[in-house]
Amino acid sequence: MCSRTNRSSRTGRPRSTEADTAILEATRAALVELGWSKLTMGDVAGRAGVAKTTLYRRWANKSELVVDAVAVLFDELELPDLGSLQADIENVVLQFAALLERPETKTALMAVVAESTRDEPLRERIRASIVDRQKRLVLEGRMRAQRRGELPADRDPVAVDATDDLIFDVIAGAVVHRALVSAEPVDEPWVARLSALLVGGLGAASAAGG
Amino acid sequence: MCSRTNRSSRTGRPRSTEADTAILEATRAALVELGWSKLTMGDVAGRAGVAKTTLYRRWANKSELVVDAVAVLFDELELPDLGSLQADIENVVLQFAALLERPETKTALMAVVAESTRDEPLRERIRASIVDRQKRLVLEGRMRAQRRGELPADRDPVAVDATDDLIFDVIAGAVVHRALVSAEPVDEPWVARLSALLVGGLGAASAAGG
DNA sequence: GAGTTACGCTACGACCTGTAGCGAAAGGCA
DNA sequence: TGCCTTTCGCTACAGGTCGTAGCGTAACTC
C-alpha cells in the first residue's frame, strides 16, 4: 500500500534527480521550439535522453509536465521596496510582462489554464505552483503600502481579502490580456497608466470609506 | 486563379449553408460534452451529419473552426444605457461573465488564444471576430460617459485611444482571470468592487489632468 | 447540355498516446 | 553477501487522430 506519491519511498531504486531536471529542461526547450500543441511526450523524452516510460512514471500527461516545467520560472518574480505603491506595482508588472514574453510561458500558460477548466487536479496544481506564488506578491505589496500610510489600515479582514483578490485578478488579468489577447507590448507607458489607474482607484475607494 | 476565399464563387455547386450551421452547432455541442482537448474533427463531422472532408474544405484546423463556432455567442453582448458609467460597466461585466460561465466558451477561449501565440492568421481571426466586437463596447461606454459629463471631453486623441485600450484589457482581463484562473465566481459583489475601482481610477486620473 | 464546384464515402500513411513486458541497474536491509 | 524492491531503458503494441487523395455523384451557372 505504499503510495508512490510519498516523498522518497524507503526501499528500492530511487528516482533519478538528473532525469527530473533533464526532462523539465527538455520540456522548456521543446516549448520554445515547437510550442504547446506540437510538443509530444516522445519528443521530450528524446531530448532529455530518457525513455518515454520514465516520463509517464512522473507525470500523468502533457499538461502536468508543462506546469511543472514552467512553474520554476515564476520564482524569479520579486518585489523590492521602491518607496511607493505605484513604483512597486510598475516594477512587478514589468517583471511579469517579461516572463510572459518568453516563448515557453507564452505558449504554455493559457494552454494549461484552458485544460484546467475540465481537469480539477490540474487546476489545483496550477494554483499551488503558479497562482499562489504570484498572489503572495499582492499581499506583500498591499501590507507595505499600509505601512507607508498609502492605504488605510485593516478594518474588516474579509473586505481586505476581497480587495487583495480583486487587485490580483486585475493586475494579472490585465497584463495577460494585453500581452496575449490584444498582443500589444506591455511597456513602460502602458504600465504607468495601469498603475496610476489602480492607485487612483484604491485611493478613491478608501477615501469613500470602502 | 479563382481564390476559394471569394464570397460565393460564381460557378459550380455552392457551399451548403445548412452544412455550415450544422457544423458550427455540432462544434458547440462537442465543446460542451468533450471540451477543447477531446474534441476531434471526425466527431464534429459525425454530429453534424457531414463528411470530414467537408469540414476541411471550410476550416484549416480545429482552432479556426472553434473560433467561428464560439464567435457568434459574443453577439449577445449589449450595452444598454443604465444612466451611469458604473452601472453600465457592471451590467456588461456580468454579461461577459455569464458568457464565460458557459462550458463552450470556458474551455475554448483560452485554448484558441494559446494556439494563436504561434499562429498569426488565427490571432487575426480571433481579433476580428471576438476581440474587436468587445472593444466596441468600451468605446461606446466611454463616449456615453463623456456625454454625461462623468469623464472629461477628448483632448489628446492618442491618449484617449490608449485609455480605451487600457480599460478594455483591465476589464476583460480581470474577468477572464477571475473566472478561469482564480476560478471564483464573478458575482455582483465582485463586479461592484471592480467597477468602483475603475470609476474611481478614471476619476482620479482625469482630476489629476491626465 | 457543358463546365465547374461541392458533396459523401473510403482508404490511407504518418503520427501520438498510454501501457505492457522484459532484463538490467541501483538502492535498502539483514 | 544475498534478497527484496523499485526504477531504468528498450521494444512492441492497440487505439485513436490528422489531413489528404481519389472516386462517383449532386447541384448550380451559362
Side-chain angles (χ1 to χ4, degrees):
Chain A
M1 292 291 280
C2 217
S3 165
R4 71 193 74 110
T5 60
N6 271 347
R7 40 215 155 140
S8 77
S9 50
R10 43 211 63 168
T11 178
R13 177 174 175 175
R15 290 266 171 90
S16 162
T17 57
E18 291 146 16
D20 281 322
T21 61
I23 291 169
L24 294 177
E25 209 163 309
T27 303
R28 288 188 289 270
L31 280 176
V32 173
E33 280 183 36
L34 307 173
W36 160 267
S37 58
K38 291 182 182 169
L39 178 148
T40 69
M41 299 294 265
D43 182 278
V44 171
R47 286 171 195 262
V50 302
K52 201 172 54 165
T53 44
T54 301
L55 266 75
Y56 280 106
R57 280 193 198 93
R58 292 162 160 78
W59 294 277
N61 51 51
K62 182 165 120 173
S63 302
E64 311 233 328
L65 168 61
V66 167
V67 169
D68 282 9
V70 168
V72 297
L73 301 177
F74 285 80
D75 289 336
E76 302 173 4
L77 290 177
E78 288 178 353
L79 192 66
D81 191 334
L82 297 182
S84 77
L85 175 57
Q86 177 148 351
D88 282 2
I89 292 178
E90 291 186 19
N91 176 46
V92 78
V93 164
L94 284 172
Q95 284 181 62
F96 186 40
L99 211 56
L100 285 180
E101 274 309 304
R102 297 178 63 157
E104 310 96 292
T105 58
K106 197 171 206 157
T107 186
L109 257 191
M110 301 288 271
V112 295
V113 169
E115 211 56 34
S116 77
T117 61
R118 298 211 138 217
D119 184 339
E120 195 55 41
L122 179 62
R123 184 206 300 290
E124 177 56 26
R125 199 186 197 97
I126 295 172
R127 196 194 56 69
S129 62
I130 297 182
V131 177
D132 280 358
R133 216 166 289 191
Q134 303 173 52
K135 208 163 185 173
R136 256 178 251 131
L137 299 175
V138 175
L139 215 83
E140 171 67 22
R142 188 255 305 160
M143 291 191 297
R144 195 179 288 167
Q146 287 178 322
R147 263 183 263 125
R148 291 197 199 99
E150 292 175 291
L151 293 178
D154 296 359
R155 274 173 283 186
D156 179 5
V158 177
V160 173
D161 278 0
T163 302
D164 285 347
D165 287 356
L166 176 65
I167 297 302
F168 173 56
D169 284 324
V170 168
I171 292 183
V175 174
V176 169
H177 199 274
R178 170 84 174 178
L180 301 186
V181 180
S182 297
E184 300 204 37
V186 181
D187 49 17
E188 278 94 354
W190 186 84
V191 172
R193 282 175 178 278
L194 172 65
S195 307
L197 182 74
L198 283 174
V199 173
L202 290 173
S206 59
Chain B
M1 292 293 281
C2 216
S3 164
R4 70 193 75 110
T5 61
N6 269 348
R7 39 211 156 143
S8 79
S9 50
R10 44 211 65 167
T11 178
R13 178 175 175 175
R15 290 265 170 91
S16 162
T17 57
E18 290 145 17
D20 282 321
T21 62
I23 291 168
L24 294 177
E25 209 164 306
T27 303
R28 287 188 290 269
L31 280 176
V32 173
E33 281 184 33
L34 308 173
W36 159 267
S37 57
K38 291 182 183 168
L39 177 149
T40 68
M41 300 294 266
D43 182 278
V44 171
R47 287 171 193 262
V50 303
K52 201 171 55 165
T53 44
T54 300
L55 267 73
Y56 281 107
R57 280 192 199 95
R58 291 162 162 76
W59 293 277
N61 50 50
K62 184 166 120 173
S63 302
E64 310 233 328
L65 168 62
V66 168
V67 169
D68 282 10
V70 168
V72 298
L73 301 177
F74 286 80
D75 288 336
E76 301 174 4
L77 291 176
E78 287 177 355
L79 192 66
D81 191 334
L82 297 182
S84 76
L85 176 58
Q86 178 148 352
D88 283 1
I89 292 178
E90 290 185 21
N91 176 47
V92 77
V93 164
L94 284 172
Q95 284 181 62
F96 186 41
L99 211 56
L100 285 180
E101 274 309 305
R102 298 177 64 157
E104 310 96 291
T105 58
K106 196 171 206 155
T107 185
L109 257 191
M110 301 287 271
V112 296
V113 170
E115 211 56 34
S116 77
T117 61
R118 296 212 139 215
D119 183 339
E120 193 55 41
L122 179 62
R123 184 206 300 291
E124 177 57 26
R125 198 185 198 98
I126 294 172
R127 196 193 57 68
S129 62
I130 297 182
V131 177
D132 279 358
R133 217 167 286 190
Q134 303 175 52
K135 208 162 186 175
R136 253 177 254 131
L137 299 176
V138 175
L139 214 83
E140 172 66 23
R142 188 256 305 158
M143 291 191 299
R144 194 180 287 168
Q146 286 178 324
R147 262 183 264 127
R148 291 196 198 98
E150 294 175 290
L151 294 178
D154 295 0
R155 273 174 284 183
D156 180 4
V158 176
V160 172
D161 277 1
T163 301
D164 285 347
D165 288 355
L166 175 65
I167 297 302
F168 173 56
D169 284 323
V170 167
I171 292 182
V175 174
V176 169
H177 199 273
R178 170 85 174 178
L180 302 185
V181 180
S182 297
E184 301 204 36
V186 180
D187 48 18
E188 278 94 353
W190 186 84
V191 172
R193 283 174 177 279
L194 172 64
S195 308
L197 182 74
L198 283 174
V199 173
L202 290 173
S206 58

